[in-house]
Amino acid sequence: MLEKELIIIDKKLSESIENLLPNCELEKFLNCGSKRIRSKVALLYAKAYEKDVDDNIYSVLVATELIHNASLLHDDVIDDSDFRRGESTIGKKFTSKISILSGDYLVSQAVKLLLEIDNSNIMNIFNQTIQNMAKAEIKQYFFRNKIPSEGDYLDICKNKTASLFIAILKSMSILLNLDVVNAEKFGELFGLCYQIKNDFEEFSSENDKKNRICTAKDIFGIEKSKILSDNYKEELRELINLMPKNIYKFELEDLINKL
């Protein structure tokens, strides 16, 4: 349904960077195996409200993908990861220093795109988001080998995972004159559900265990985690009910059902 838009995002991602690494490894990292879930959610949200996607929206989408991928490059160094998306990590191919510098470069390219929009509110949203992501990663590091409280776990999830969903939806809503409060709430709830689901996936569980990170099943248990996620999904469906009936609304509902 979003094939055309996702092709445009991939093209703009490639255009936004230089091939600084041998064999176009940075471009391959950006385009190989990424689900583009943040862009998909934002596009479906906008189209469900019958809004058109213009160049400024694409700049927000691409900037979000750049920041997300930068965070993965940094995460791989923090976690000393060997693989990402079925391939050896940039750190393993070229050293952790190159992975960190590549992540920094992607953030700088994201900032460049956001500055071209010429909207200080959007710039402030993403500036705060990058800060929140970094603070959450630091907080999580110091909880290694410890079980955080439920509040601390949810705070880390909101700032590390949900924050980019919030940023992309808030920014898009500002540009499209949609309700910003509802968009922010949608991003937060979707991000929290997405992280809880991720906590139970086999590869993520193994990686968290290796890095001594406690996840939802350690903190809440399986049953309570499911109840928590189901409650968030119900709130998401209430927000979806505000949208006009169309194929994009139904696709968004389907995406939530799969969380």
Side-chain angles (χ1 to χ4, degrees), residues 28-67:
K28 283 196 284 186
F29 173 77
L30 285 173
N31 290 313
C32 179
S34 174
K35 297 186 285 288
R36 302 278 186 260
I37 186 65
R38 290 151 192 83
S39 292
K40 286 179 182 176
V41 170
L43 285 165
L44 289 172
Y45 193 94
K47 288 177 173 291
Y49 275 110
E50 302 173 342
K51 297 291 185 178
D52 294 325
V53 180
D54 61 16
D55 287 341
N56 281 339
I57 299 298
Y58 276 117
S59 291
V60 168
L61 300 178
V62 173
T64 301
E65 295 294 343
L66 287 169
I67 293 168

Side-chain angles (χ1 to χ4, degrees), residues 70-82 84 89 91-92 95-97 99-100 133-144 160 207-208 210-213:
S71 75
L72 298 182
L73 288 167
H74 290 162
D75 279 355
D76 287 343
V77 174
I78 294 166
D79 297 339
D80 193 26
S81 298
D82 294 326
R84 171 70 67 181
T89 60
K92 293 301 175 183
T95 77
S96 60
K97 295 174 183 177
S99 189
I100 291 168
M133 291 170 70
K135 288 192 294 184
E137 190 69 60
I138 292 168
K139 185 173 183 177
Q140 180 173 271
Y141 180 86
F142 286 104
F143 269 116
R144 291 188 179 203
K160 185 179 176 183
N207 195 55
D208 289 330
K210 183 189 83 171
N211 289 295
R212 309 180 308 282
I213 295 170

